């Protein structure tokens, strides 16, 4: 759909324009020129009205373009602000992860010193002891087998006691593990914020791109409307220029007619003066003058 159809704008019909040739201007009668001036004025006014309507619609579109651009700028600012927050949380997350890594490295080092990772865990030893005791209580064993079983139970109990002793001595290790886990948890919170804020920043980025795209579309329509405005305004200006030319020519004709009338009056006065002088000469020579002759002498000031 064209911009003219979209806004229901009347097409500029060139056949409605009024032409003025140099021949018409120079050779046309005063009556013809007055008529042509009226036609040029009326068409100029029509075209100026068309130009005004198109300019108004163009200005509306330009205003809408500015609104879209302003909206895009708002999304840009929000996106940039969120990206700054993302960067801040990333830096904090990385700092905390680095700190947590150092603490966990220290935990591993302490475990090695305490040899807590050697052999079986406390829970595993407890389960094995319970299993052996259950077997001792429920199975019928020979004296030799029962002695071996008792020795195994004792060995496991000694190993368990030694492991518990190391763990008790490793109270500092538990505190360190807890601290490391807390730091890692705090880093995870910052990572979650990074993800949330980055998603929001992307949303604003997408909305910014869409707003700029819409602004470009509206700007293109405004440019098309401006072309229609220029078309009407240039035609109106041409009609106005021709109207001014006709008005100037009419003034020239008025001056010419006025000059011709003045020349005619001057010529008539000269003729009347010459005639009066002849009558006056007759009067001086003693001829009798009639009333008409006396009036002519009075009119020219000779009597």
């Amino acid at each position: 759909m064209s911009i003219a159809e979209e806004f229901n704008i009347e097409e500029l019909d060139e056949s409605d324009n009024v032409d003025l040739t140099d021949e018409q201007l120079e050779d046309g009668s005063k009556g013809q020129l007055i008529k042509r001036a009226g036609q040029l004025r009326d068409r100029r006014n029509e075209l100026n009205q068309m130009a005004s309507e198109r300019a108004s619609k163009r200005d509306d579109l330009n205003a809408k373009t500015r609104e879209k651009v302003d909206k895009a700028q708002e999304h840009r600012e929000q996106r940039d602000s969120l990206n700054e927050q993302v960067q801040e949380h990333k830096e904090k997350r990385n700092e905390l992860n680095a700190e947590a890594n150092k603490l966990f490295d220290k935990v591993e080092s302490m475990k090695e010193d305490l040899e807590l990772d050697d052999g079986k865990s406390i829970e595993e030893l407890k389960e094995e002891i319970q299993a052996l005791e259950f077997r001792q209580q429920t199975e019928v064993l020979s004296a030799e087998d029962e002695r071996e079983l008792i020795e195994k139970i004792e060995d496991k109990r000694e190993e368990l006691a030694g492991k518990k002793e190391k763990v008790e001595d490793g109270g500092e290790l538990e505190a360190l593990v807890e601290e490391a886990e807390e730091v890692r948890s705090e880093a995870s919170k910052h990572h979650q914020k990074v993800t949330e804020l980055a998603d929001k920043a992307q949303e604003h980025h997408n909305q910014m791109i869409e707003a700029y795209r819409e602004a470009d579309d509206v700007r293109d329509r405004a440019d098309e409307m401006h072309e229609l405005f220029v078309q009407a305004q240039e035609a109106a200006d041409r009609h106005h220029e021709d109207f001014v030319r006709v008005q100037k020519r009419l003034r020239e004709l008025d001056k010419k007619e006025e000059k011709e009338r003045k020349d005619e009056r001057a010529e008539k006065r000269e003729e009347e003066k010459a005639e009066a002088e002849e009558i006056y000469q007759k009067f001086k020579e003693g001829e009798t003058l009639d009333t008409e002759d006396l009036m002519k002498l009075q009119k020219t000031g000779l009597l």
Side-chain angles (χ1 to χ4, degrees):
M1 179 184 295
S2 68
I3 193 71
E5 292 173 334
E6 180 182 351
F7 286 91
N8 194 27
I9 291 178
E10 179 185 356
E11 294 286 349
L12 199 159
D13 190 347
E14 297 288 342
S15 64
D16 291 335
N17 290 343
V18 180
D19 295 324
L20 177 68
T21 65
D22 291 339
E23 182 179 358
Q24 290 172 331
L25 185 64
E26 295 300 324
D27 301 335
S29 67
K30 191 173 180 180
Q32 290 173 330
L33 290 172
I34 290 174
K35 180 179 179 180
R36 183 65 67 178
Q39 293 171 336
L40 287 166
R41 181 196 60 232
D42 292 344
R43 182 56 176 165
R44 176 202 64 188
N45 292 344
E46 290 176 3
L47 290 166
N48 275 331
Q49 181 63 29
M50 292 174 66
S52 177
E53 292 172 355
R54 296 175 185 200
S56 177
K57 289 181 171 60
R58 175 204 61 195
D59 293 343
D60 290 342
L61 287 168
N62 281 331
K64 190 173 181 181
T65 298
R66 286 191 293 272
E67 289 177 3
K68 295 293 184 182
V69 170
D70 290 344
K71 196 67 178 177
Q73 286 296 109
E74 290 177 8
H75 286 301
R76 178 192 292 275
E77 291 171 3
Q78 290 175 310
R79 179 203 65 183
D80 292 346
S81 175
L82 287 167
N83 280 335
E84 288 178 5
Q85 295 178 54
V86 166
Q87 189 59 35
E88 291 173 1
H89 284 287
K90 275 186 178 180
E91 292 174 0
K92 189 64 179 177
R93 177 200 63 190
N94 294 341
E95 290 175 5
L96 290 169
N97 276 331
E99 182 181 349
N101 289 338
K102 289 180 180 180
L103 290 171
F104 278 117
D105 288 343
K106 191 173 181 181
V107 166
E108 292 303 316
S109 177
M110 290 183 67
K111 281 184 177 180
E112 291 177 1
D113 292 342
L114 294 172
E115 296 180 349
L116 291 179
D117 287 339
D118 293 342
K120 297 178 180 179
S121 69
I122 291 176
E123 292 302 320
E124 288 175 331
L125 289 172
K126 286 181 178 180
E127 289 176 358
E128 289 183 359
I129 291 171
Q130 288 177 354
L132 291 173
E133 287 177 342
F134 181 77
R135 181 183 173 190
Q136 182 186 22
Q137 295 170 5
T138 58
E139 292 184 13
V140 177
L141 301 172
S142 64
E144 183 177 353
D145 289 339
E146 186 170 0
R147 187 176 60 254
E148 289 179 359
L149 184 59
I150 292 172
E151 289 178 357
K152 279 185 180 182
I153 292 173
E154 290 299 324
D155 290 342
K156 293 291 182 184
R157 285 175 176 170
E158 288 179 6
E159 185 178 353
L160 175 60
K163 183 75 70 171
K164 284 182 177 181
E165 184 178 354
K166 286 184 178 181
V167 169
E168 289 173 0
D169 292 339
E172 182 182 350
L173 174 63
E174 291 181 3
L176 188 61
V177 169
E178 184 177 351
E179 180 184 358
E181 289 176 346
E182 288 178 357
V183 173
R184 182 75 80 194
S185 175
E186 190 66 23
S188 296
K189 292 178 182 178
H190 284 284
H191 179 71
Q192 184 177 357
K193 290 297 292 184
V194 166
T195 302
E196 292 174 0
L197 294 170
D199 288 344
K200 290 182 180 179
Q202 186 61 44
E203 288 178 8
H204 283 291
H205 177 76
N206 294 340
Q207 290 173 315
M208 177 196 73
I209 296 299
E210 178 62 18
Y212 275 130
R213 186 193 65 76
E214 292 176 353
D216 288 340
D217 290 343
V218 178
R219 187 183 292 109
D220 289 342
R221 290 157 60 208
D223 291 342
E224 291 177 25
M225 186 63 72
H226 179 69
E227 291 177 4
L228 294 178
F229 157 76
V230 170
Q231 180 187 38
Q233 190 62 62
E234 287 180 346
D237 291 344
R238 181 179 66 76
H239 281 73
H240 178 70
E241 290 169 2
D242 285 344
F243 172 76
V244 171
R245 289 171 64 201
V246 173
Q247 292 294 96
K248 181 180 178 182
R249 179 58 179 160
L250 286 170
R251 287 193 295 271
E252 291 174 353
L253 292 176
D254 286 342
K255 289 180 181 179
K256 182 180 179 181
E257 290 178 355
E258 180 62 26
K259 184 176 183 303
E260 289 174 351
R261 286 193 295 270
K262 285 182 179 180
D263 291 345
E264 287 177 2
R265 289 195 296 270
E267 183 179 353
K268 185 177 181 181
R269 284 195 298 271
E270 288 297 323
E271 291 175 353
E272 290 174 347
K273 184 178 180 181
E275 183 182 4
E277 287 177 349
E278 289 179 4
I279 295 172
Y280 185 67
Q281 188 62 35
K282 291 178 182 180
F283 174 72
K284 288 196 298 181
E285 292 174 355
E287 292 187 17
T288 302
L289 303 179
D290 59 21
T291 302
E292 185 178 352
D293 290 337
L294 290 172
M295 291 180 65
K296 289 180 179 179
L297 289 175
Q298 288 179 337
K299 186 176 181 181
T300 57
L302 293 177
L303 182 63

